[in-house]
Amino acid sequence: MIKGIAISTVWVLDQDRAKEFYTEKLGLEVRTDMTMGGDGGMRWLTVGARSQPDVELTLMVPGPPGLDPEAAEAVRTLVGKGALGAGVLSTDDVRRDYETLRAKGVEFLREPQERPYGTEAILRDDSGNWFSLTERREQLDPAKEWRECVDPM
């Protein structure tokens, strides 16, 4: 049976730039950085949080072997437009991390706000993907209206 999620893909426009962003700005660590298939093969670049050794993000440039040229161009366009939400990054203090990351030059689309599930800020990576940076509350707050949460921008 499935035990959990181990690796999730984040489409990026430049792996070197993404590696720098995710490690130097967000503080994740490189888990793997290798070329598969020899010279000119696919670069397998993964990062993860030190506190979650079993979870990795693969920073992938859209292209072969997973995507044909037409699909790769469509994904690059969506990433560049900021149309893709890549996930939720968890924190125990969203306001502290918001200030720390802003000081490092991370672009935020929304400053920390109270939500039914906790306090959330929305950041964008160097390729255009947006992430929710969330400090979760222990229990859902049904008094908060969900419509406040629909638009990430």
Side-chain angles (χ1 to χ4, degrees):
M1 292 303 300
I2 296 172
K3 297 184 335 184
I5 295 175
I7 300 173
S8 184
T9 299
V10 175
W11 297 110
V12 300
L13 302 178
D14 180 293
Q15 284 178 306
D16 289 326
R17 247 187 28 226
K19 179 180 177 181
E20 181 180 323
F21 178 86
Y22 282 84
T23 59
E24 295 180 19
K25 292 191 177 188
L26 297 186
L28 302 181
E29 64 182 8
V30 173
R31 300 281 174 75
T32 307
D33 190 354
M34 62 182 278
T35 301
M36 298 172 73
D39 289 340
M42 179 184 78
R43 184 177 180 188
W44 184 252
L45 173 60
T46 69
V47 296
R50 287 173 182 79
S51 62
Q52 284 187 303
D54 295 339
V55 178
E56 297 176 78
L57 297 176
T58 303
L59 306 177
M60 294 291 294
V61 173
L67 299 174
D68 63 41
E70 183 180 343
E73 182 58 31
V75 170
R76 279 192 295 277
T77 298
L78 290 170
V79 169
K81 285 184 173 184
L84 299 181
V88 177
L89 303 173
S90 64
T91 178
D92 59 356
D93 189 336
V94 72
R95 294 183 195 300
R96 174 201 64 212
D97 291 350
Y98 168 79
E99 293 300 335
T100 300
L101 294 172
R102 264 186 23 156
K104 290 181 175 184
V106 174
E107 176 189 1
F108 278 85
L109 303 173
R110 184 181 299 141
E111 62 186 34
Q113 296 180 0
E114 294 303 315
R115 298 287 185 227
Y117 44 82
T119 308
E120 173 188 62
I122 305 292
L123 67 89
R124 183 171 289 184
D125 74 5
D126 66 304
S127 292
N129 298 298
W130 60 269
F131 286 87
S132 165
L133 177 64
T134 301
E135 178 184 344
R136 292 190 60 157
R137 72 173 95 258
E138 288 196 27
Q139 291 195 335
L140 189 64
D141 182 356
K144 298 279 184 202
E145 292 188 39
W146 284 100
R147 72 172 189 265
E148 299 173 4
C149 307
V150 175
D151 182 15
M153 309 314 169

